[in-house]
Amino acid sequence: MADYSYDTEKAVAQSMIAKFGRTIFIVSTVKTGSAYNPIISENTKAIKAIQKNYKNSEIDGSLIQSDDKRFLIYSTDAISTENKILDDGIKYSIVNVKTVMPGDTNIIYEIQARK
């Protein structure tokens, strides 16, 4: 039996994000200089994302809070909780990152972000 390719699903996800998403920024912290006197700066990368609110039934007040946002993005760069999201002038911490990755094909990231 041949391996299944998820290229079609990946293309559809990218197309939907490109069509219905808006530009946000992924912010990463970069440390340069010596370990005892580091220079810390932020790099921002523009990326398209679909922002969704969590459903009331998903909000438990602990793991998912009422102001948390869900971002669906496609990125060739890895996204982690060390990054931040800048959306419409508001900086969000990334609480959780789920990678939708059937097999070895990264389709999208589902990010839980909090003010």
Side-chain angles (χ1 to χ4, degrees):
M1 185 171 148
D3 289 336
Y4 182 78
S5 172
Y6 291 93
D7 291 340
T8 301
E9 287 83 354
K10 182 178 179 177
V12 168
Q14 290 173 343
S15 173
M16 297 303 276
I17 290 171
K19 184 175 182 178
F20 297 109
R22 66 173 189 247
T23 301
I24 65 166
F25 297 92
I26 301 294
V27 181
S28 57
T29 302
V30 179
K31 293 181 185 178
T32 57
S34 62
Y36 61 87
N37 190 18
I39 299 168
I40 301 171
S41 59
E42 290 185 337
N43 284 344
T44 58
K45 181 178 180 181
I47 195 165
K48 286 281 200 168
I50 295 176
Q51 186 267 313
K52 299 173 64 175
N53 293 321
Y54 282 93
K55 297 176 187 172
N56 287 338
S57 61
E58 296 174 302
I59 298 170
D60 65 1
S62 179
L63 293 176
I64 301 175
Q65 298 178 5
S66 61
D67 287 339
D68 287 359
K69 303 292 181 196
R70 177 184 289 157
F71 291 91
L72 304 175
I73 68 167
Y74 172 77
S75 175
T76 55
D77 298 330
I79 307 294
S80 75
T81 55
E82 294 181 13
N83 298 114
K84 298 205 181 301
I85 291 177
L86 182 61
D87 180 30
D88 199 25
I90 300 170
K91 191 177 279 188
Y92 294 90
S93 295
I94 296 178
V95 176
N96 191 20
V97 179
K98 277 201 291 190
T99 305
V100 178
M101 187 172 171
D104 61 353
T105 304
N106 180 6
I107 296 180
I108 62 169
Y109 289 102
E110 181 179 330
I111 298 172
Q112 177 186 357
R114 183 173 294 154
K115 287 184 194 178

